[in-house]
Amino acid sequence: MKNKIGAVMLMALMFSTSAPLGVFLALLSPQTVDAALNSLENEYSIDIGPVAGATVNNFVFITFFNPSGSGKYLSISRMRMHNTATTTATYTDFSLRRITAADMGTLVSQADIPKKHSSSTNSIAEIRTATSSLTTLKVTFAGTTDSSLMSVVAPGVAGSAASNQEIYFGDTDEKLLLAPGEGIAVYQYHPSVGGDVDHKINFLVSWDELDSDPGSQGEYMIEMPRVELAAGAEASYHTFLNPVGSGKTAIIRRVRVDIDIDTGANYLVE
């Protein structure tokens, strides 16, 4: 069958109409994480998983959470979703969304969370993984299924390296901030396919722990869901529009268009 128009990633800033007009595109995906220069920076990085797949729709595999009362703000600078398959499996959508509560599963010891500087204090982050493919983590999602920060399509064959996405927030980018009582979760979402136990799910995250809220810079990000059935010639799949009269100018920092194929398909120009 088919080409599937994968999720479209957009990161944007909103300014008043007095700001200079322009569109700036950038794709930043470094392969390394720089070590913290000193222990006072309290920087951390961990690659969570692999967690075994599941056949239940909306199954939550991994949570990363800033507990209420922590007194800290988690400023995320890098995220990477990467899934593999141990054998032939079902192509399944995985998404990353904000949450306001997380429970159950296996809690990673805070003493085991890697520090970029060995003299930093232990992280306050609560990291959970699903204990088995039968019991999902219990979370409270913020927003709806449209409120996706990242997504990947898990591979259907062993050895595929296509199922991964990485986001790096540069020095001039607003970081993804988690206040006390906020977190993010990796889960599988598909309107008709439940998933596959032969998937292995990993999630890498790097962050700083701040004593105060750095304040909003007016930046946003969204990953639009993939279109399951590619249409005919000149079809449009996603739109991103600054409405007339908004009083704002949208400056786009990053765009990603992903096209997935789960069986034979025609070569197309998108």
Side-chain angles (χ1 to χ4, degrees):
M1 180 189 93
K2 316 226 169 90
N3 294 318
K4 300 198 173 183
I5 306 305
V8 175
M9 165 65 72
L10 285 166
M11 293 173 57
L13 298 86
M14 302 299 289
F15 292 105
S16 67
T17 51
S18 61
L21 296 178
V23 176
F24 303 90
L25 305 182
L27 177 59
L28 301 176
S29 182
Q31 300 303 311
T32 61
V33 178
D34 293 333
L37 296 179
N38 63 72
S39 61
L40 298 179
E41 292 187 7
N42 290 330
E43 298 185 16
Y44 310 86
S45 183
I46 187 171
D47 195 344
I48 309 164
V51 180
T55 58
V56 181
N57 197 19
N58 295 319
F59 193 99
V60 180
F61 299 93
I62 296 169
T63 60
F64 178 83
F65 195 74
N66 184 0
S68 299
S70 69
K72 297 287 186 179
Y73 292 81
L74 307 188
S75 178
I76 297 175
S77 57
R78 183 187 184 212
M79 301 184 294
R80 181 172 182 252
M81 297 176 66
H82 49 122
N83 298 355
T84 59
T86 57
T87 185
T88 302
T90 303
Y91 292 92
T92 308
D93 295 280
F94 285 78
S95 180
L96 180 73
R97 281 176 56 191
R98 282 185 173 271
I99 57 174
T100 57
D103 198 6
M104 301 182 65
T106 299
L107 185 64
V108 176
S109 171
Q110 291 170 328
D112 293 334
I113 296 176
K115 308 164 186 174
K116 290 189 181 181
H117 193 296
S118 60
S119 296
S120 294
T121 59
N122 287 345
S123 171
I124 57 86
E126 290 184 353
I127 299 172
R128 298 177 185 272
T129 60
T131 304
S132 74
S133 59
L134 300 176
T135 306
T136 181
L137 297 177
K138 183 179 179 181
V139 304
T140 301
F141 283 113
T144 68
T145 54
D146 290 331
S147 307
S148 177
L149 299 169
M150 298 174 68
S151 70
V152 297
V153 178
V157 295
S160 173
S163 181
N164 66 84
Q165 185 195 159
E166 182 175 27
I167 294 177
Y168 174 77
F169 299 98
D171 292 339
T172 61
D173 295 327
E174 182 172 9
K175 309 301 187 289
L176 181 64
L177 190 74
L178 302 179
E182 298 179 345
I184 48 180
V186 177
Y187 81 112
Q188 64 184 18
Y189 167 73
H190 197 289
S192 60
V193 177
D196 200 302
V197 296
D198 296 313
H199 289 143
K200 298 295 182 184
I201 297 93
N202 284 74
F203 179 64
L204 181 149
V205 58
S206 300
W207 71 100
D208 301 310
E209 298 190 356
L210 310 177
D211 292 327
S212 60
D213 186 342
S216 172
Q217 298 178 30
E219 297 189 23
Y220 308 86
M221 59 184 292
I222 187 172
E223 178 108 21
M224 301 176 188
R226 70 170 178 165
V227 178
E228 289 301 313
L229 299 175
E234 299 185 9
S236 298
Y237 303 100
H238 296 287
T239 63
F240 180 79
L241 178 69
N242 185 1
V244 175
S246 69
K248 301 286 186 177
T249 296
I251 300 179
I252 299 175
R253 287 187 177 272
R254 183 176 190 260
V255 175
R256 185 183 77 100
V257 178
D258 177 52
I259 301 176
D260 302 297
I261 300 174
D262 58 10
T263 186
N266 296 323
Y267 290 97
L268 300 174
V269 176
E270 302 294 344

CSV table of all heavy atoms in Angstrom, one decimal, residues 14-63:
chain,number,residue,atom,x,y,z
A,14,MET,N,6.4,33.6,18.7
A,14,MET,CA,5.3,34.6,18.3
A,14,MET,C,5.7,35.9,18.8
A,14,MET,O,6.0,36.2,19.9
A,14,MET,CB,4.0,34.2,18.9
A,14,MET,CG,3.5,32.8,18.5
A,14,MET,SD,3.3,32.5,16.8
A,14,MET,CE,1.8,33.5,16.5
A,15,PHE,N,5.8,36.9,17.8
A,15,PHE,CA,6.2,38.3,18.1
A,15,PHE,C,5.1,39.2,17.7
A,15,PHE,O,4.2,38.8,16.9
A,15,PHE,CB,7.5,38.7,17.4
A,15,PHE,CG,8.7,38.0,18.0
A,15,PHE,CD1,9.3,36.9,17.2
A,15,PHE,CD2,9.3,38.3,19.2
A,15,PHE,CE1,10.4,36.3,17.7
A,15,PHE,CE2,10.4,37.7,19.7
A,15,PHE,CZ,11.0,36.6,18.9
A,16,SER,N,5.2,40.5,18.1
A,16,SER,CA,4.2,41.5,17.7
A,16,SER,C,4.5,41.8,16.2
A,16,SER,O,5.6,41.5,15.7
A,16,SER,CB,4.3,42.7,18.5
A,16,SER,OG,5.5,43.3,18.3
A,17,THR,N,3.6,42.5,15.6
A,17,THR,CA,3.8,42.8,14.1
A,17,THR,C,4.9,43.8,14.0
A,17,THR,O,5.4,44.0,12.8
A,17,THR,CB,2.5,43.3,13.5
A,17,THR,OG1,2.0,44.4,14.4
A,17,THR,CG2,1.4,42.3,13.4
A,18,SER,N,5.4,44.4,15.0
A,18,SER,CA,6.5,45.4,14.9
A,18,SER,C,7.8,44.7,14.8
A,18,SER,O,8.8,45.3,14.4
A,18,SER,CB,6.5,46.3,16.1
A,18,SER,OG,6.7,45.6,17.3
A,19,ALA,N,7.8,43.3,15.0
A,19,ALA,CA,9.1,42.6,14.9
A,19,ALA,C,9.4,42.4,13.4
A,19,ALA,O,8.6,42.4,12.6
A,19,ALA,CB,8.9,41.2,15.6
A,20,PRO,N,10.7,42.3,13.1
A,20,PRO,CA,11.1,42.1,11.7
A,20,PRO,C,10.5,40.8,11.2
A,20,PRO,O,10.4,39.8,11.8
A,20,PRO,CB,12.6,41.9,11.8
A,20,PRO,CG,13.0,42.6,13.1
A,20,PRO,CD,11.9,42.3,14.0
A,21,LEU,N,10.0,40.9,9.9
A,21,LEU,CA,9.4,39.7,9.3
A,21,LEU,C,10.5,38.8,8.8
A,21,LEU,O,11.5,39.2,8.4
A,21,LEU,CB,8.5,40.2,8.1
A,21,LEU,CG,7.3,41.0,8.4
A,21,LEU,CD1,6.6,41.4,7.1
A,21,LEU,CD2,6.4,40.3,9.3
A,22,GLY,N,10.2,37.5,8.9
A,22,GLY,CA,11.1,36.5,8.4
A,22,GLY,C,10.8,35.1,8.9
A,22,GLY,O,10.1,34.9,9.8
A,23,VAL,N,11.4,34.2,8.2
A,23,VAL,CA,11.2,32.8,8.5
A,23,VAL,C,12.6,32.2,8.6
A,23,VAL,O,13.4,32.3,7.6
A,23,VAL,CB,10.4,32.0,7.5
A,23,VAL,CG1,10.3,30.5,7.9
A,23,VAL,CG2,9.0,32.5,7.5
A,24,PHE,N,13.0,31.5,9.7
A,24,PHE,CA,14.3,30.9,9.9
A,24,PHE,C,14.1,29.5,10.1
A,24,PHE,O,13.3,29.1,11.0
A,24,PHE,CB,15.0,31.6,11.0
A,24,PHE,CG,15.2,33.1,10.9
A,24,PHE,CD1,14.2,33.9,11.4
A,24,PHE,CD2,16.3,33.6,10.3
A,24,PHE,CE1,14.3,35.3,11.3
A,24,PHE,CE2,16.4,35.0,10.1
A,24,PHE,CZ,15.4,35.8,10.6
A,25,LEU,N,14.7,28.6,9.4
A,25,LEU,CA,14.6,27.2,9.5
A,25,LEU,C,15.9,26.6,10.0
A,25,LEU,O,17.0,27.0,9.5
A,25,LEU,CB,14.2,26.5,8.2
A,25,LEU,CG,13.0,27.1,7.5
A,25,LEU,CD1,12.7,26.3,6.2
A,25,LEU,CD2,11.8,27.0,8.4
A,26,ALA,N,15.9,25.6,10.9
A,26,ALA,CA,17.1,25.0,11.4
A,26,ALA,C,16.8,23.6,11.9
A,26,ALA,O,15.8,23.4,12.5
A,26,ALA,CB,17.7,25.8,12.5
A,27,LEU,N,17.7,22.7,11.6
A,27,LEU,CA,17.6,21.3,12.1
A,27,LEU,C,18.8,21.1,12.9
A,27,LEU,O,19.9,21.0,12.3
A,27,LEU,CB,17.4,20.3,11.0
A,27,LEU,CG,17.4,18.9,11.4
A,27,LEU,CD1,16.2,18.6,12.3
A,27,LEU,CD2,17.3,18.0,10.2
A,28,LEU,N,18.7,20.9,14.2
A,28,LEU,CA,19.9,20.7,15.0
A,28,LEU,C,19.8,19.4,15.7
A,28,LEU,O,18.8,19.0,16.4
A,28,LEU,CB,19.9,21.8,16.2
A,28,LEU,CG,19.9,23.2,15.7
A,28,LEU,CD1,19.8,24.2,16.8
A,28,LEU,CD2,21.2,23.5,14.9
A,29,SER,N,20.8,18.5,15.4
A,29,SER,CA,20.8,17.2,15.9
A,29,SER,C,22.2,16.7,16.2
A,29,SER,O,22.7,15.8,15.6
A,29,SER,CB,20.1,16.2,14.9
A,29,SER,OG,20.0,14.9,15.4
A,30,PRO,N,22.8,17.2,17.3
A,30,PRO,CA,24.2,16.8,17.6
A,30,PRO,C,24.2,15.4,18.2
A,30,PRO,O,23.2,14.9,18.7
A,30,PRO,CB,24.6,17.8,18.6
A,30,PRO,CG,23.3,18.2,19.3
A,30,PRO,CD,22.3,18.2,18.2
A,31,GLN,N,25.3,14.7,18.1
A,31,GLN,CA,25.4,13.4,18.5
A,31,GLN,C,26.0,13.2,19.9
A,31,GLN,O,26.1,12.1,20.4
A,31,GLN,CB,26.2,12.5,17.5
A,31,GLN,CG,25.6,12.6,16.1
A,31,GLN,CD,24.2,12.0,16.1
A,31,GLN,OE1,23.9,11.0,16.6
A,31,GLN,NE2,23.3,12.8,15.5
A,32,THR,N,26.4,14.3,20.5
A,32,THR,CA,27.1,14.2,21.8
A,32,THR,C,26.5,15.2,22.7
A,32,THR,O,25.9,16.2,22.3
A,32,THR,CB,28.6,14.5,21.7
A,32,THR,OG1,28.8,15.8,21.2
A,32,THR,CG2,29.2,13.4,20.8
A,33,VAL,N,26.7,15.0,24.0
A,33,VAL,CA,26.2,15.9,25.1
A,33,VAL,C,27.5,16.5,25.8
A,33,VAL,O,28.3,15.7,26.3
A,33,VAL,CB,25.3,15.2,26.1
A,33,VAL,CG1,24.9,16.2,27.2
A,33,VAL,CG2,24.1,14.7,25.4
A,34,ASP,N,27.6,17.8,25.8
A,34,ASP,CA,28.8,18.4,26.5
A,34,ASP,C,28.7,18.2,28.0
A,34,ASP,O,27.6,18.4,28.6
A,34,ASP,CB,28.9,19.9,26.1
A,34,ASP,CG,29.2,20.1,24.7
A,34,ASP,OD1,29.8,19.2,24.1
A,34,ASP,OD2,28.8,21.1,24.1
A,35,ALA,N,29.8,17.9,28.6
A,35,ALA,CA,29.8,17.8,30.1
A,35,ALA,C,29.6,19.2,30.7
A,35,ALA,O,30.1,20.2,30.2
A,35,ALA,CB,31.1,17.2,30.5
A,36,ALA,N,29.0,19.2,31.9
A,36,ALA,CA,28.9,20.4,32.6
A,36,ALA,C,30.3,20.9,33.1
A,36,ALA,O,31.1,20.1,33.4
A,36,ALA,CB,28.0,20.2,33.9
A,37,LEU,N,30.5,22.2,33.1
A,37,LEU,CA,31.8,22.8,33.5
A,37,LEU,C,32.0,22.7,35.0
A,37,LEU,O,33.1,22.7,35.4
A,37,LEU,CB,31.8,24.2,33.0
A,37,LEU,CG,31.8,24.4,31.5
A,37,LEU,CD1,31.9,25.9,31.1
A,37,LEU,CD2,32.9,23.7,30.8
A,38,ASN,N,30.9,22.8,35.8
A,38,ASN,CA,31.1,22.7,37.2
A,38,ASN,C,29.9,22.0,37.8
A,38,ASN,O,28.8,22.0,37.3
A,38,ASN,CB,31.4,24.0,37.8
A,38,ASN,CG,30.3,25.0,37.7
A,38,ASN,OD1,29.3,24.8,38.3
A,38,ASN,ND2,30.5,26.0,36.8
A,39,SER,N,30.1,21.6,39.1
A,39,SER,CA,29.0,20.8,39.7
A,39,SER,C,27.8,21.6,40.1
A,39,SER,O,26.7,21.1,40.3
A,39,SER,CB,29.6,20.2,41.0
A,39,SER,OG,30.0,21.2,41.9
A,40,LEU,N,28.0,23.0,40.2
A,40,LEU,CA,26.9,23.8,40.5
A,40,LEU,C,25.8,23.9,39.4
A,40,LEU,O,24.7,24.4,39.7
A,40,LEU,CB,27.4,25.2,40.9
A,40,LEU,CG,28.3,25.3,42.1
A,40,LEU,CD1,28.8,26.7,42.3
A,40,LEU,CD2,27.7,24.7,43.3
A,41,GLU,N,26.1,23.5,38.2
A,41,GLU,CA,25.2,23.6,37.1
A,41,GLU,C,24.1,22.6,37.2
A,41,GLU,O,23.0,22.7,36.6
A,41,GLU,CB,25.9,23.5,35.8
A,41,GLU,CG,26.8,24.7,35.5
A,41,GLU,CD,27.4,24.7,34.1
A,41,GLU,OE1,27.0,23.8,33.3
A,41,GLU,OE2,28.2,25.5,33.8
A,42,ASN,N,24.4,21.5,37.9
A,42,ASN,CA,23.4,20.4,38.1
A,42,ASN,C,22.7,20.0,36.8
A,42,ASN,O,21.5,20.1,36.6
A,42,ASN,CB,22.3,20.9,39.1
A,42,ASN,CG,22.8,21.0,40.5
A,42,ASN,OD1,23.7,20.2,40.9
A,42,ASN,ND2,22.2,21.9,41.3
A,43,GLU,N,23.6,19.4,35.9
A,43,GLU,CA,23.1,19.0,34.6
A,43,GLU,C,23.2,17.4,34.6
A,43,GLU,O,24.1,16.8,35.2
A,43,GLU,CB,24.0,19.5,33.5
A,43,GLU,CG,23.9,21.0,33.4
A,43,GLU,CD,24.7,21.6,32.2
A,43,GLU,OE1,25.0,20.8,31.3
A,43,GLU,OE2,25.0,22.8,32.2
A,44,TYR,N,22.2,16.8,33.9
A,44,TYR,CA,22.0,15.4,33.9
A,44,TYR,C,21.6,14.9,32.6
A,44,TYR,O,21.1,15.6,31.7
A,44,TYR,CB,20.9,15.0,35.0
A,44,TYR,CG,21.1,15.6,36.3
A,44,TYR,CD1,20.6,16.9,36.6
A,44,TYR,CD2,21.9,15.0,37.3
A,44,TYR,CE1,20.8,17.5,37.8
A,44,TYR,CE2,22.0,15.6,38.6
A,44,TYR,CZ,21.5,16.8,38.8
A,44,TYR,OH,21.7,17.4,40.0
A,45,SER,N,21.9,13.6,32.3
A,45,SER,CA,21.5,13.0,31.0
A,45,SER,C,21.3,11.5,31.2
A,45,SER,O,22.1,10.9,31.9
A,45,SER,CB,22.6,13.3,29.9
A,45,SER,OG,22.2,12.7,28.7
A,46,ILE,N,20.3,10.9,30.7
A,46,ILE,CA,20.0,9.5,30.8
A,46,ILE,C,19.3,9.0,29.6
A,46,ILE,O,18.5,9.7,29.0
A,46,ILE,CB,19.2,9.2,32.1
A,46,ILE,CG1,19.1,7.7,32.3
A,46,ILE,CG2,17.8,9.9,32.0
A,46,ILE,CD1,18.4,7.3,33.6
A,47,ASP,N,19.7,7.8,29.2
A,47,ASP,CA,19.0,7.1,28.1
A,47,ASP,C,18.2,6.0,28.8
A,47,ASP,O,18.7,5.0,29.3
A,47,ASP,CB,20.0,6.5,27.1
A,47,ASP,CG,19.4,6.0,25.8
A,47,ASP,OD1,18.1,5.9,25.8
A,47,ASP,OD2,20.1,5.8,24.8
A,48,ILE,N,16.8,6.2,28.8
A,48,ILE,CA,15.9,5.3,29.5
A,48,ILE,C,15.5,4.1,28.6
A,48,ILE,O,15.1,4.4,27.5
A,48,ILE,CB,14.7,6.1,30.0
A,48,ILE,CG1,15.1,7.4,30.7
A,48,ILE,CG2,13.8,5.2,30.9
A,48,ILE,CD1,14.0,8.4,30.9
A,49,GLY,N,15.6,2.9,29.1
A,49,GLY,CA,15.2,1.8,28.4
A,49,GLY,C,16.3,0.8,28.1
A,49,GLY,O,17.4,1.0,28.7
A,50,PRO,N,16.2,-0.2,27.3
A,50,PRO,CA,14.9,-0.4,26.5
A,50,PRO,C,13.8,-1.0,27.3
A,50,PRO,O,14.0,-1.8,28.2
A,50,PRO,CB,15.4,-1.4,25.4
A,50,PRO,CG,16.5,-2.2,26.1
A,50,PRO,CD,17.2,-1.2,27.0
A,51,VAL,N,12.6,-0.6,27.0
A,51,VAL,CA,11.4,-1.1,27.6
A,51,VAL,C,10.6,-1.9,26.6
A,51,VAL,O,10.5,-1.5,25.4
A,51,VAL,CB,10.5,0.1,28.1
A,51,VAL,CG1,9.2,-0.5,28.8
A,51,VAL,CG2,11.3,1.0,29.1
A,52,ALA,N,10.2,-3.1,27.0
A,52,ALA,CA,9.5,-4.0,26.0
A,52,ALA,C,8.1,-3.4,25.6
A,52,ALA,O,7.5,-2.7,26.3
A,52,ALA,CB,9.2,-5.3,26.7
A,53,GLY,N,7.8,-3.6,24.3
A,53,GLY,CA,6.5,-3.2,23.7
A,53,GLY,C,5.3,-3.8,24.3
A,53,GLY,O,5.4,-4.7,25.2
A,54,ALA,N,4.1,-3.4,23.9
A,54,ALA,CA,2.9,-3.9,24.4
A,54,ALA,C,1.8,-3.9,23.3
A,54,ALA,O,2.0,-3.2,22.3
A,54,ALA,CB,2.4,-3.1,25.6
A,55,THR,N,0.8,-4.7,23.5
A,55,THR,CA,-0.3,-4.7,22.5
A,55,THR,C,-1.5,-3.9,22.8
A,55,THR,O,-2.5,-3.8,22.1
A,55,THR,CB,-0.8,-6.2,22.3
A,55,THR,OG1,-1.2,-6.7,23.6
A,55,THR,CG2,0.4,-7.1,21.8
A,56,VAL,N,-1.4,-3.2,23.9
A,56,VAL,CA,-2.6,-2.4,24.4
A,56,VAL,C,-2.4,-0.9,23.9
A,56,VAL,O,-1.4,-0.3,24.1
A,56,VAL,CB,-2.6,-2.3,25.9
A,56,VAL,CG1,-3.8,-1.5,26.4
A,56,VAL,CG2,-2.7,-3.8,26.5
A,57,ASN,N,-3.5,-0.4,23.3
A,57,ASN,CA,-3.4,1.0,22.8
A,57,ASN,C,-3.4,1.9,24.0
A,57,ASN,O,-3.9,1.7,25.0
A,57,ASN,CB,-4.7,1.3,21.9
A,57,ASN,CG,-4.5,2.5,21.1
A,57,ASN,OD1,-3.4,3.0,20.8
A,57,ASN,ND2,-5.6,3.1,20.6
A,58,ASN,N,-2.7,3.1,23.8
A,58,ASN,CA,-2.5,4.1,24.8
A,58,ASN,C,-1.6,3.6,25.9
A,58,ASN,O,-1.6,4.2,27.0
A,58,ASN,CB,-3.8,4.6,25.3
A,58,ASN,CG,-4.6,5.4,24.3
A,58,ASN,OD1,-4.0,6.1,23.5
A,58,ASN,ND2,-5.9,5.1,24.2
A,59,PHE,N,-0.8,2.6,25.7
A,59,PHE,CA,0.1,2.0,26.8
A,59,PHE,C,1.2,3.0,27.0
A,59,PHE,O,1.8,3.5,26.1
A,59,PHE,CB,0.6,0.7,26.3
A,59,PHE,CG,1.3,-0.1,27.4
A,59,PHE,CD1,0.7,-1.1,28.0
A,59,PHE,CD2,2.6,0.2,27.8
A,59,PHE,CE1,1.3,-1.9,29.0
A,59,PHE,CE2,3.3,-0.5,28.7
A,59,PHE,CZ,2.6,-1.6,29.4
A,60,VAL,N,1.5,3.3,28.3
A,60,VAL,CA,2.5,4.3,28.6
A,60,VAL,C,3.8,3.5,29.1
A,60,VAL,O,3.7,2.7,30.0
A,60,VAL,CB,2.0,5.2,29.8
A,60,VAL,CG1,3.2,6.2,30.1
A,60,VAL,CG2,0.8,6.0,29.3
A,61,PHE,N,4.9,3.8,28.4
A,61,PHE,CA,6.1,3.0,28.7
A,61,PHE,C,7.1,3.7,29.6
A,61,PHE,O,7.7,3.1,30.4
A,61,PHE,CB,6.8,2.7,27.3
A,61,PHE,CG,6.0,1.9,26.4
A,61,PHE,CD1,5.2,2.6,25.5
A,61,PHE,CD2,6.0,0.5,26.4
A,61,PHE,CE1,4.4,1.8,24.6
A,61,PHE,CE2,5.2,-0.2,25.6
A,61,PHE,CZ,4.4,0.4,24.6
A,62,ILE,N,7.2,5.0,29.4
A,62,ILE,CA,8.3,5.8,30.2
A,62,ILE,C,7.7,7.1,30.6
A,62,ILE,O,7.0,7.8,29.8
A,62,ILE,CB,9.5,6.0,29.3
A,62,ILE,CG1,10.2,4.7,28.9
A,62,ILE,CG2,10.5,7.0,29.9
A,62,ILE,CD1,11.2,4.9,27.8
A,63,THR,N,8.0,7.5,31.8
A,63,THR,CA,7.6,8.9,32.3
A,63,THR,C,8.8,9.5,32.9
A,63,THR,O,9.7,8.9,33.5
A,63,THR,CB,6.5,8.9,33.4
A,63,THR,OG1,6.9,8.1,34.5
A,63,THR,CG2,5.2,8.3,32.8
